[in-house]
Amino acid sequence: MVAFTTGNKGADSTTLPVSYADVEAAASTLKGQAHRTPIMTSTTVNERTNSQVFFKCENFQRTGSFKFRGAYNALAQLSEAQKQRGVLTHSSGNHAQAIALAGKLLGISTTIVMPEDAPAVKQAATRGYGAEVILYNPLETTREELAQSIAGDRNLTVVPPYDHPHVVAGQGTAAKELIEEVGMLDLLLVCCGGGGLVSGSAIAASVLSPSCRVIGVEPKQADDAARSFYSQTLQTIHNPQTIADGARTPSLGNITFPLVLHYVHDMVTVSEDAIRSTMFFLWERLKIVVEPTGALAAAALLEGVVSAPNARIGVIVSGGNVDLQAIGKL
Amino acid sequence: MVAFTTGNKGADSTTLPVSYADVEAAASTLKGQAHRTPIMTSTTVNERTNSQVFFKCENFQRTGSFKFRGAYNALAQLSEAQKQRGVLTHSSGNHAQAIALAGKLLGISTTIVMPEDAPAVKQAATRGYGAEVILYNPLETTREELAQSIAGDRNLTVVPPYDHPHVVAGQGTAAKELIEEVGMLDLLLVCCGGGGLVSGSAIAASVLSPSCRVIGVEPKQADDAARSFYSQTLQTIHNPQTIADGARTPSLGNITFPLVLHYVHDMVTVSEDAIRSTMFFLWERLKIVVEPTGALAAAALLEGVVSAPNARIGVIVSGGNVDLQAIGKL
């Protein structure tokens, strides 16, 4: 076993917008709605890393990613009036499908603003869950402006993909399940886009496995969160070129940034090659379909960016929504 | 619920070479050695088929396919003298890796005869488990002759891929686990190559879910078992052209054929297109990597070859060993 310093920094946690009690409450809300996803192990991975590695497989979550946890938790806590008016979000990715299904299950109408060049398969999947999809031309308008304008006109509640306390609390339930099932960890690796999953995971770990070091993993090509973490000043990135589409977010959020600073112990980055080869390694060895973003955390370990011999390591596999046609080209 | 006639035919089961007691014994032998593989469900599949479908995921079995069950069970029952001398098999596929790992776990040396054009990745995987791999030129010699000759010279016990009572009994443990976990089934769909898995599964179902109809599924391009079943005379096929490489066997065996006739209720075939589209459907929707042979049973259901509305249906996903390079071309 290796010993780690906990390394928590910054503000008194009682002033932060999300606490472990919120994660616990989210777990109750999600009970019977979100899948308790399986945890996989691999002798090959254990031998190769000289550790004991536990993969929490959120690619098997409803709608194919962890996003369902935060979306459902946020929608369930709306007031009755908000529920009746409906919700809106802007996303071309996993959050869109998550909001659409959560809305369907809770009887809340959902509107999703998507760029008109979003893959037809994602538009169809989102409509398939019953959402209204509004397309826009990304050259003519920004999605934030359009989303605010439609939400205003229709009196809809905007549920953003990560910068919301109930979303963060929901995302933290995956790490909670992982640690409750396998026991204390020395290290927990989590991908980082807008920071909802990594901050929620770190909040859960801080209570359930206090000596566990939590590391966020970003693509090198989209390293805004790592730069924000090290400079302690919010950094942004414009239209980053990475195959990990879930990590193409412009920056951490107003809510997630202080949480990351307080609870996350380190941030690392991985190359596009590392993401690609890890993704296919997980397909071939674990027999699970993982999207590029879903391979980020594992890539940091398998490509040696992070090394922790003789440790108990949790790795969150965030999602498995891939367009096989597009993947074939990789 | 639909009612099915049981449809068992042919000889008194007491004269057959494998009984349910053998499957039970195999389950004891495999305990702690084979994985108890997960069972997956899919709302999309249930809605599309108007049934309740349970996928038994042997792609998550050790060595990536159900073959480990039969291989380990057969090797564990060798005499001490046989164990000391070692075993040999001829296979370029999943049985080779299964024998290699079972031998490693049981301390039995293993020799695998493979055509020299077998994919390098499969040769490497088999050697990785500690087996000696002997390559031959398939244009100059047949593997059966070479295998017999080497086995004779070295005094090795040949463990064939399907036509062996202990192999069949081991394969039956997957269906046993499935029915014990989800309860009685109306229908069980199982791929068929040499008939080890389908006959073992049908033996298990005959006791654990007596009214369950068991259907074997073959590629149309390799329909020897279906023709054997309907003509009640062993039919063979030479070098069938199917992407389902696990079903490229020339015929059912002397042991599996009477078991199939007695215990299996029907045999159906599916097209190459059905195999391909079902395989990718399982990748995209269930997020599991399935090899072409592993998609056969699901293809019969999802492509409507078999229909059983309002039924409880078991589908065995036999394996997930794919060469992603080769799959990319599909």
Side-chain angles (χ1 to χ4, degrees):
Chain A
M1 302 291 263
V2 290
F4 290 110
T5 55
T6 58
N8 286 353
K9 298 173 297 282
D12 173 6
S13 70
T14 58
T15 67
L16 290 168
V18 185
S19 70
Y20 180 66
D22 298 318
V23 177
E24 276 187 311
S28 297
T29 301
L30 291 173
K31 197 163 186 182
Q33 300 296 334
H35 292 326
R36 194 177 175 95
T37 52
I39 293 161
M40 299 187 76
T41 59
S42 156
T43 310
T44 309
V45 170
N46 289 348
E47 286 174 359
R48 186 162 148 183
T49 59
N50 198 17
S51 310
Q52 207 177 344
V53 183
F54 304 95
F55 294 96
K56 176 67 170 169
C57 294
E58 287 294 297
N59 51 333
F60 294 129
Q61 187 50 266
R62 295 181 86 169
T63 70
S65 88
F66 72 95
K67 290 284 188 182
F68 178 75
R69 296 176 184 268
Y72 189 94
N73 189 50
L75 263 57
Q77 292 182 63
L78 296 177
S79 70
E80 281 312 309
Q82 286 175 313
K83 286 180 180 171
Q84 286 195 359
R85 291 197 302 268
V87 300
L88 175 142
T89 197
H90 47 81
S91 164
S92 54
N94 291 334
H95 180 62
Q97 294 178 57
I99 287 285
L101 177 59
K104 182 182 173 184
L105 294 170
L106 289 161
I108 299 171
S109 75
T110 54
T111 304
I112 317 286
V113 175
M114 268 192 196
E116 62 189 17
D117 57 358
V121 60
K122 292 209 171 174
Q123 296 181 31
T126 307
R127 286 197 184 95
Y129 290 120
E132 179 186 353
V133 173
I134 297 180
L135 300 175
Y136 68 96
N137 181 339
L139 300 177
E140 288 175 3
T141 181
T142 73
R143 63 183 192 177
E144 288 78 5
E145 277 168 21
L146 183 64
Q148 286 302 342
S149 140
I150 298 170
D153 290 349
R154 300 190 184 181
N155 206 6
L156 305 175
T157 303
V158 175
V159 181
Y162 52 87
D163 210 29
H164 189 295
H166 299 162
V167 172
V168 171
Q171 318 306 32
T173 59
K176 177 176 184 286
E177 289 174 10
L178 170 61
I179 299 168
E180 285 176 347
E181 191 166 329
V182 307
M184 296 276 186
L185 297 172
D186 300 305
L187 177 63
L188 177 60
L189 297 168
V190 188
C191 60
C192 180
L197 183 64
V198 73
S199 57
S201 301
I203 292 166
S206 72
V207 169
L208 296 173
S209 187
S211 65
C212 176
R213 194 167 159 82
V214 179
I215 301 184
V217 185
E218 269 190 316
K220 260 199 191 79
Q221 311 273 59
D223 65 346
D224 57 283
R227 289 189 285 111
S228 299
F229 182 84
Y230 281 105
S231 66
Q232 299 202 33
T233 312
L234 192 62
Q235 307 287 316
T236 59
I237 197 160
H238 177 66
N239 193 22
Q241 297 301 305
T242 171
I243 57 168
D245 53 330
R248 285 184 201 143
T249 43
S251 70
L252 294 170
N254 292 325
I255 286 168
T256 55
F257 182 40
L259 290 170
V260 165
L261 281 182
H262 184 82
Y263 284 106
V264 175
H265 300 79
D266 202 358
M267 292 288 308
V268 298
T269 64
V270 293
S271 70
E272 297 295 298
D273 274 352
I275 300 170
R276 201 179 288 112
S277 63
T278 299
M279 182 177 77
F280 289 127
F281 176 89
L282 295 173
W283 290 35
E284 288 201 318
R285 293 308 181 97
L286 270 69
K287 314 299 180 193
I288 59 175
V289 174
V290 172
E291 62 187 85
T293 309
L296 277 170
L301 182 67
L302 293 170
E303 301 285 321
V305 175
V306 169
S307 161
N310 306 312
R312 292 170 51 81
I313 305 177
V315 172
I316 298 191
V317 175
S318 61
N321 290 328
V322 289
D323 179 345
L324 290 176
Q325 300 278 341
I327 289 294
K329 291 173 197 151
L330 301 179
Chain B
M1 300 289 263
V2 290
F4 291 110
T5 55
T6 58
N8 286 353
K9 298 172 297 283
D12 173 5
S13 70
T14 59
T15 66
L16 290 166
V18 186
S19 70
Y20 180 67
D22 298 317
V23 177
E24 276 189 310
S28 296
T29 301
L30 291 174
K31 198 163 185 181
Q33 300 296 334
H35 292 325
R36 194 176 176 94
T37 52
I39 293 161
M40 299 186 77
T41 58
S42 156
T43 309
T44 308
V45 169
N46 289 348
E47 286 173 359
R48 185 162 148 183
T49 59
N50 197 19
S51 310
Q52 208 178 344
V53 184
F54 304 95
F55 294 95
K56 176 68 170 169
C57 294
E58 287 294 297
N59 50 333
F60 294 129
Q61 188 50 267
R62 295 181 85 167
T63 70
S65 88
F66 72 96
K67 291 283 189 182
F68 178 75
R69 296 176 183 267
Y72 189 94
N73 190 50
L75 264 57
Q77 293 182 63
L78 296 176
S79 69
E80 281 311 310
Q82 287 175 312
K83 285 180 180 172
Q84 286 195 358
R85 290 198 302 268
V87 301
L88 175 141
T89 196
H90 47 79
S91 165
S92 53
N94 290 334
H95 180 63
Q97 294 179 55
I99 287 285
L101 177 59
K104 182 181 174 187
L105 295 170
L106 289 161
I108 300 171
S109 74
T110 54
T111 305
I112 317 286
V113 175
M114 267 191 198
E116 63 189 17
D117 57 358
V121 60
K122 292 209 170 175
Q123 296 180 30
T126 306
R127 285 196 184 96
Y129 290 120
E132 179 185 354
V133 173
I134 298 180
L135 300 175
Y136 68 94
N137 180 339
L139 300 176
E140 288 175 3
T141 180
T142 73
R143 64 183 191 176
E144 288 79 4
E145 276 169 20
L146 182 65
Q148 285 303 340
S149 140
I150 298 170
D153 291 350
R154 300 188 183 183
N155 206 6
L156 304 176
T157 303
V158 175
V159 181
Y162 52 87
D163 209 28
H164 189 294
H166 299 162
V167 172
V168 171
Q171 318 305 32
T173 59
K176 177 175 183 287
E177 289 174 9
L178 170 61
I179 299 168
E180 284 175 349
E181 191 166 328
V182 307
M184 297 277 186
L185 297 172
D186 301 305
L187 177 63
L188 177 60
L189 297 167
V190 189
C191 61
C192 180
L197 183 63
V198 73
S199 57
S201 301
I203 292 166
S206 72
V207 170
L208 297 173
S209 187
S211 65
C212 177
R213 193 167 159 83
V214 180
I215 301 184
V217 185
E218 270 189 315
K220 259 198 191 79
Q221 311 274 58
D223 66 346
D224 58 284
R227 288 189 285 110
S228 299
F229 182 83
Y230 280 107
S231 66
Q232 300 203 31
T233 312
L234 193 61
Q235 307 287 317
T236 60
I237 196 160
H238 177 65
N239 194 21
Q241 297 301 305
T242 171
I243 57 169
D245 53 331
R248 285 184 201 141
T249 43
S251 70
L252 294 171
N254 292 325
I255 284 167
T256 55
F257 183 38
L259 289 170
V260 165
L261 281 182
H262 184 82
Y263 284 105
V264 174
H265 300 79
D266 202 357
M267 292 288 308
V268 298
T269 64
V270 293
S271 70
E272 297 296 297
D273 274 352
I275 299 169
R276 200 178 290 113
S277 63
T278 299
M279 183 177 78
F280 289 127
F281 176 88
L282 295 172
W283 289 35
E284 287 202 318
R285 294 307 182 98
L286 270 70
K287 315 297 180 194
I288 58 175
V289 174
V290 172
E291 62 186 88
T293 309
L296 277 170
L301 182 66
L302 293 171
E303 300 286 320
V305 174
V306 169
S307 161
N310 305 313
R312 290 168 54 80
I313 304 177
V315 172
I316 297 189
V317 175
S318 61
N321 290 327
V322 287
D323 178 345
L324 289 177
Q325 301 276 341
I327 290 294
K329 291 173 197 151
L330 300 179

